[in-house]
Amino acid sequence: MRKKISIVTPTFNEELNIRKLCNDIASQMKKLEYDYEHIVIDNLSTDSTVKILEKITENDKNLKVIINSRNFGHIRSPIHGLLQASGEAVILMSADFQDPVELIPKYIEEWENGYPVVMGQKLTSDESKFKHLVKKLYYKFINVISEFPLLMDTTGAGLFDRKIIEELRKVNDPYPYFRGLVSEVTSEIKLLRFHQPKRNQGSTKNNFYTLYDLGILGIIKHSKMPLRIITFIGLIASLLSFVISIVFLFRKLLNWNSFDVGIAPLIIGVFMIASIQIFLLGFIGEYVMNILYHNRNLPLVIEKKRINFE
């Protein structure tokens, strides 16, 4: 009996890419001796993506489609898609061709060699050098502060064995940082280095807010260090303020008529302390907001429609 491979692709407004992607994946899988299913989970696209998918599913029963009731974002939707897969191994692959379809046989080969997780690692990239540098610095930073090693230069795309998917299913996290979650589940991860091309067509759905959301999620999910730093900053600032106040007190007592405290130092000090407090309150707020997500216990996504599922 042939093994089954599941391929999961999250989409939102990918009408320029989705037909070619489905065709390329179908062609790639026909070359391999595996049964397969291709699950596309769509975040209620506002373009023609869903109509194109519905048309393809009429003739391709290997293509399965989940349409969400609204846009649940790029963090929650892909993981929900992974959990709906039925294959012995599940491959997560984006719709913009920045995760090359040609990696599928290599993923499967390494999986057959015994690796439960095989992930793509960007050796080089066609994205802007500044953006690539910022991401690399972020990965290095989060590795320094994380309680366990996290993966460098990965997008989350790759292959996951059924047992890994089942472990992820046990994690009740409505807003997970996927790359960190995989590293927590297993250390047996094979990295396949590749050159990341530019997006095939269309425009990226990532912006400053989505990248910030993903970045801050990785920090608060996998490190207590920021909270500890906040404590140390508060302690050091308190000690420094106490020392300065004592110095100023004695200078005033010893030079009562000639020593003038001045307004400028007071204004600068007040604004400096206030800005530090606002920053630290914001960081604490990120942790509190994450606790709120957990307490509400919402599902990853709410589905509107399924196509080609039994």
Side-chain angles (χ1 to χ4, degrees):
M1 186 175 179
R2 300 205 306 181
K3 294 179 180 178
K4 184 178 182 180
I5 304 294
S6 299
I7 300 167
V8 175
T9 302
T11 57
F12 179 70
N13 289 352
E14 292 289 353
E15 62 181 1
L16 299 177
N17 291 316
I18 193 61
R19 187 182 300 278
K20 175 174 168 53
L21 179 77
C22 292
N23 291 338
D24 286 3
I25 287 177
S27 298
Q28 193 68 240
M29 292 308 299
K30 286 176 182 177
K31 301 175 186 177
L32 306 173
E33 296 181 356
Y34 295 89
D35 292 330
Y36 83 99
E37 63 178 359
H38 182 196
I39 300 174
V40 176
I41 179 164
D42 185 81
N43 262 325
L44 200 64
S45 292
T46 56
D47 62 1
S48 301
T49 301
V50 173
K51 291 182 179 179
I52 294 171
L53 287 168
E54 290 175 336
K55 187 68 175 177
I56 298 173
T57 55
E58 294 176 2
N59 300 312
D60 185 359
K61 298 306 176 183
N62 291 315
L63 178 63
K64 302 179 180 182
V65 179
I66 299 173
I67 303 169
N68 295 335
S69 61
R70 65 173 179 84
N71 187 346
F72 286 91
H74 66 297
I75 292 174
R76 298 157 69 181
S77 186
I79 298 179
H80 180 74
L82 289 173
L83 299 180
Q84 310 315 304
S86 60
E88 280 91 339
V90 186
I91 297 174
L92 180 62
M93 181 161 285
S94 66
D96 56 10
F97 290 92
Q98 287 193 290
D99 302 324
V101 176
E102 294 74 21
L103 287 177
I104 290 177
K106 297 179 181 178
Y107 286 146
I108 297 174
E109 180 183 356
E110 295 295 345
W111 171 63
E112 291 286 17
N113 288 336
Y115 288 99
V117 175
V118 187
M119 298 186 75
Q121 183 181 48
K122 296 180 291 183
L123 182 61
T124 54
S125 176
D126 285 337
E127 66 183 354
S128 72
K129 292 182 179 180
F130 175 75
K131 188 176 179 181
H132 187 66
L133 176 63
V134 170
K135 286 183 177 180
K136 187 174 286 291
L137 291 175
Y138 165 76
Y139 287 130
K140 288 182 178 179
F141 170 72
I142 196 173
N143 255 321
V144 169
I145 67 172
S146 178
E147 296 174 13
F148 53 88
L150 297 179
L151 301 173
M152 294 280 292
D153 297 325
T154 59
T155 62
L159 179 147
F160 310 92
D161 186 83
R162 166 55 51 189
K163 65 181 181 182
I164 300 297
I165 299 298
E166 293 306 318
E167 289 298 326
L168 294 176
R169 194 185 303 278
K170 298 175 186 177
V171 179
N172 184 25
D173 190 343
Y175 210 65
Y177 180 67
F178 181 64
R179 278 164 276 186
L181 199 56
V182 171
S183 296
E184 283 195 83
V185 171
T186 181
S187 59
E188 297 180 77
I189 301 174
K190 174 68 176 181
L191 296 176
L192 282 181
R193 294 184 173 184
F194 73 100
H195 172 76
Q196 185 184 57
K198 288 184 178 179
R199 158 180 274 273
N200 184 50
Q201 292 191 66
S203 58
T204 180
K205 309 307 180 295
N206 285 326
N207 51 41
F208 174 78
Y209 176 78
T210 60
L211 292 175
Y212 170 81
D213 190 31
L214 186 62
I216 203 71
L217 189 64
I219 293 172
I220 65 176
K221 288 282 186 178
H222 300 286
S223 178
K224 294 179 288 188
M225 189 175 290
L227 290 177
R228 301 286 164 80
I229 292 175
I230 289 171
T231 303
F232 290 136
I233 289 176
L235 178 61
I236 292 170
S238 299
L239 291 174
L240 187 62
S241 299
F242 178 74
V243 170
I244 291 174
S245 64
I246 294 297
V247 170
F248 271 65
L249 173 62
F250 276 95
R251 291 192 66 183
K252 183 65 177 175
L253 290 174
L254 295 174
N255 304 279
W256 189 268
N257 295 321
S258 60
F259 182 72
D260 188 7
V261 175
I263 298 299
L266 290 175
I267 293 176
I268 294 171
V270 168
F271 275 89
M272 182 184 72
I273 296 299
S275 62
I276 292 174
Q277 287 177 330
I278 292 171
F279 171 76
L280 298 184
L281 283 173
F283 219 101
I284 293 171
E286 294 287 352
Y287 281 91
V288 173
M289 186 164 54
N290 190 55
I291 294 171
L292 175 63
Y293 267 113
H294 278 266
N295 287 341
R296 293 177 71 190
N297 200 28
L298 295 172
L300 285 168
V301 306
I302 298 173
E303 297 180 10
K304 176 183 178 182
K305 183 180 179 181
R306 285 189 172 207
I307 305 173
N308 273 353
F309 282 84
E310 296 179 359

